[in-house]
Amino acid sequence: MIKIKIKDIVNILDAECLGNCNLDKCINGVSIDSRNVTEYNLFIPIKGMTTNGHCYINDAINKGAIATLWNKNEPNPPTDIAVILVDDTVKGLQDLALAYRNQLKTKIVGITGSNGKTSTKDITAGVLSQKYKTQKTVGNYNTEIGVPYTLLGLDEDCEVAVIEMGMERAGEIDFLTHLVKPDIGIITSVGPVHIDNFPSVEEIAKSKLEIVNGIKSNGLFIYFGDDPLIQDTVDNTQISSKIRKENFGIREDNTLWLKEFHEDIQGITFKINDENCDELHMEMLGKHQALNALAAILAAKELGMNYEEIRLGLLKIEKTGLRNEVIKIKNSTILNDCYKSNPDSIKTALDIFKLFKSDKKIVILGDMLGYREMSHEVHYNVGKYLSSVKIDELITIGAEAKFIAKGARENTSIANITEFDTKEEATLYLSNFLEQNCSILIKGSRFLKLEYIVNTLKTKEDN
């Protein structure tokens, strides 16, 4: 994590310092949440839509913060620690992160994509950690606040960092890539995620391609080559001749392609087109994860790793939670994939769910966000798609998900379709199935927090 004297922060931000301003004191790390402050931290309060971090300054001080950034228009700054006055604490966070990034010798892999970026981050970090001191984005800190916070959390001796970059609107990837300055940039996929903020999926692709704007000279750009939209956008985007390009996929015209693939409930095994590489294994589920691994392999090869190091690295992946977690509760098996939801990720989850063998198969689908006037049609089409999957019962949660139920009723032969308004109702209903030999898939948008279902059902395991 960043270690820097207060006077250097003041100089970087061209700021004024008030309070107990011992400029030679050294801060040790940054926190944007008063609950996580540790001794000698710089506390950076963020003013959001529903909360104002400035209100928690006393908590931060009590936990050991010795300095804080402070919006000039916020009243009552503390007097017992250093107060660094700025026009905007978010911009202050970003400017400090950029200055720190510029002094780091760390190689950085930047990853974006409509789907798959978090899994690719986890796989890439797992592989690279086999050879290098590696750090990665924690959880979903992939925004204009999360990315600079992640950069400031990198150790000075970190050799490689894997940074996830999210996007809701045009221009965000351009901003983040110039902050991160990746040596390697990866695009995993492009789809109609946050389509309510874009005129078309083509514009989403263009915005994702902004990642190349920040890739360092002689850096490497890696992308999913099977998607014609991505390939067309790459072909029609002016990319510096000093940036090299490689792609991955199933098609044999990719730089790296999937030659063989096998899976079972224990994980996936696959081969690539390079004869120097033996069979590879990962304790993850789904063909999409093998494709995500191809991106990681290209990044690892770029950073000088051999295939034996890569093979071992694939066996030590630390997975971010709520994505394809397999959980046993009594006689039931739950595929917990409730971090986010969109039509593409639902189809991927359903493909994985086919691996599960049981007497009864139940799919739980919640509302998907971000489709505005298209929402009813998008949800209906998901229900219609269920005709291609063999399940015994469909449960929907939320007002929009009722159109999934409608699409399923009118287009499938699913025997039992039940609609609930809340996750609490659905949880109570599901508790009746724990003693049965059944498999349950749970999928819904983040705002629903459907992990509540699994966490509540777990409490019944010993009852």
Side-chain angles (χ1 to χ4, degrees):
M1 65 184 73
I2 187 172
K3 297 178 181 179
I4 185 173
K5 289 184 177 180
I6 292 173
K7 65 182 178 183
D8 294 325
I9 298 174
V10 171
N11 289 336
I12 288 169
L13 302 181
D14 191 21
E16 178 185 0
C17 188
L18 304 176
N20 183 8
C21 206
N22 183 345
L23 295 177
D24 286 319
K25 273 190 176 181
C26 188
I27 70 106
N28 187 8
V30 166
S31 179
I32 58 175
D33 187 332
S34 63
R35 294 168 295 185
N36 300 328
V37 169
T38 58
E39 197 170 13
Y40 303 114
N41 267 184
L42 168 69
F43 177 54
I44 303 181
I46 307 297
K47 187 173 183 178
M49 296 290 291
T50 59
T51 188
N52 185 347
H54 295 80
C55 297
Y56 302 97
I57 185 61
N58 289 332
D59 292 339
I61 294 172
N62 291 336
K63 290 188 174 180
I66 62 169
T68 182
L69 298 192
W70 195 266
N71 280 348
K72 291 178 180 177
N73 59 359
E74 287 292 329
N76 305 317
T79 58
D80 43 354
I81 64 170
V83 177
I84 302 168
L85 294 177
V86 293
D87 292 323
D88 181 357
T89 55
V90 171
K91 188 176 187 304
L93 168 72
Q94 295 163 347
D95 290 346
L96 185 59
L98 179 60
Y100 188 54
R101 168 61 182 119
N102 287 338
Q103 75 178 53
L104 289 172
K105 296 180 180 178
T106 308
K107 295 285 186 181
I108 293 187
V109 181
I111 300 175
T112 191
S114 298
N115 290 300
K117 55 184 175 291
T118 300
S119 293
T120 304
K121 171 200 71 179
D122 291 340
I123 296 167
T124 303
V127 170
L128 296 176
S129 66
Q130 183 63 29
K131 182 171 183 176
Y132 301 107
K133 178 176 178 179
T134 303
Q135 292 178 255
K136 66 177 181 178
T137 299
V138 176
N140 64 329
Y141 277 71
N142 61 14
T143 64
E144 62 176 6
I145 294 173
V147 170
Y149 181 65
T150 297
L151 288 172
L152 291 168
L154 299 180
D155 295 334
E156 292 177 349
D157 62 347
C158 174
E159 295 177 292
V160 181
V162 186
I163 308 294
E164 179 180 333
M165 294 182 284
M167 181 190 83
E168 291 188 7
R169 293 173 178 81
E172 290 180 340
I173 295 299
D174 183 65
F175 173 79
L176 293 176
T177 191
H178 281 103
L179 192 63
V180 171
K181 298 183 178 179
D183 299 272
I184 301 169
I186 297 174
I187 292 182
T188 60
S189 64
V190 168
V193 180
H194 302 300
I195 189 66
D196 53 333
N197 294 326
F198 294 87
S200 66
V201 71
E202 287 77 14
E203 290 301 316
I204 293 177
K206 290 178 184 178
S207 294
K208 290 292 185 186
L209 257 290
E210 291 172 358
I211 193 173
V212 302
N213 298 342
I215 295 176
K216 287 187 174 181
S217 180
N218 200 38
L220 178 63
F221 171 48
I222 299 168
Y223 63 93
F224 181 49
D226 286 358
D227 187 335
L229 174 58
I230 296 178
Q231 188 62 62
D232 288 347
T233 309
V234 170
D235 292 341
N236 291 294
T237 299
Q238 191 168 15
I239 299 174
S240 169
S241 59
K242 295 180 180 179
I243 296 174
R244 293 166 291 119
K245 294 178 286 187
E246 293 182 349
N247 52 13
F248 64 94
I250 296 175
R251 292 205 326 253
E252 296 183 14
D253 58 345
N254 286 296
T255 310
L256 195 66
W257 50 275
L258 198 61
K259 190 173 181 180
E260 294 181 21
F261 174 81
H262 308 282
E263 68 177 331
D264 57 36
I265 199 68
Q266 305 303 321
I268 59 177
T269 302
F270 59 97
K271 285 186 177 182
I272 60 175
N273 57 298
D274 192 332
E275 296 301 328
N276 295 314
C277 182
D278 294 330
E279 192 172 69
L280 302 169
H281 179 76
M282 296 163 56
E283 292 182 357
M284 300 180 83
L285 298 176
K287 192 176 230 179
H288 66 293
Q289 299 293 20
L291 293 171
N292 291 336
L294 297 190
I297 291 168
L298 287 172
K301 294 291 287 181
E302 172 71 6
L303 293 173
M305 293 184 68
N306 61 45
Y307 281 123
E308 179 59 14
E309 292 168 331
I310 291 169
R311 183 187 69 80
L312 292 172
L314 289 172
L315 299 175
K316 55 185 294 187
I317 299 165
E318 295 180 1
K319 293 175 280 189
T320 302
L322 308 183
R323 294 164 173 84
N324 292 327
E325 293 179 318
V326 180
I327 300 167
K328 287 284 294 183
I329 302 179
K330 294 188 177 179
N331 291 327
S332 65
T333 302
I334 297 177
L335 180 59
N336 185 28
D337 192 20
C338 60
Y339 178 73
K340 70 174 184 178
S341 187
N342 57 62
D344 288 341
S345 66
I346 288 175
K347 291 174 183 178
T348 298
L350 288 169
D351 285 341
I352 294 171
F353 197 51
K354 292 175 184 177
L355 298 172
F356 289 64
K357 309 300 180 185
S358 59
D359 295 338
K360 186 179 183 68
K361 300 189 76 171
I362 303 170
V363 170
I364 303 165
L365 298 177
D367 289 347
M368 298 179 289
L369 289 186
Y371 296 98
R372 290 188 181 174
E373 68 276 0
M374 298 181 292
S375 183
H376 293 175
E377 180 183 2
V378 169
H379 283 81
Y380 182 89
N381 286 337
V382 167
K384 188 176 179 180
Y385 177 80
L386 292 173
S387 62
S388 64
V389 184
K390 189 179 184 306
I391 62 174
D392 301 292
E393 185 159 354
L394 169 66
I395 296 170
T396 66
I397 301 173
E400 296 303 304
K402 292 181 184 297
F403 289 88
I404 298 177
K406 178 176 171 61
R409 284 196 183 94
E410 295 178 1
N411 297 280
T412 77
S413 58
I414 298 172
N416 298 305
I417 299 175
T418 308
E419 302 169 36
F420 291 108
D421 293 322
T422 69
K423 58 184 177 241
E424 289 80 9
E425 294 172 295
T427 303
L428 183 62
Y429 178 75
L430 281 170
S431 63
N432 299 314
F433 295 99
L434 298 182
E435 299 288 355
Q436 300 182 29
N437 176 20
C438 67
S439 302
I440 303 169
L441 166 63
I442 304 176
K443 187 80 173 160
S445 282
R446 179 87 296 268
F447 86 103
L448 287 175
K449 297 183 179 179
L450 294 187
E451 65 270 19
Y452 167 89
I453 297 173
V454 176
N455 294 336
T456 304
L457 293 179
K458 278 182 179 178
T459 65
K460 302 179 181 296
E461 189 167 14
D462 299 323
N463 295 340

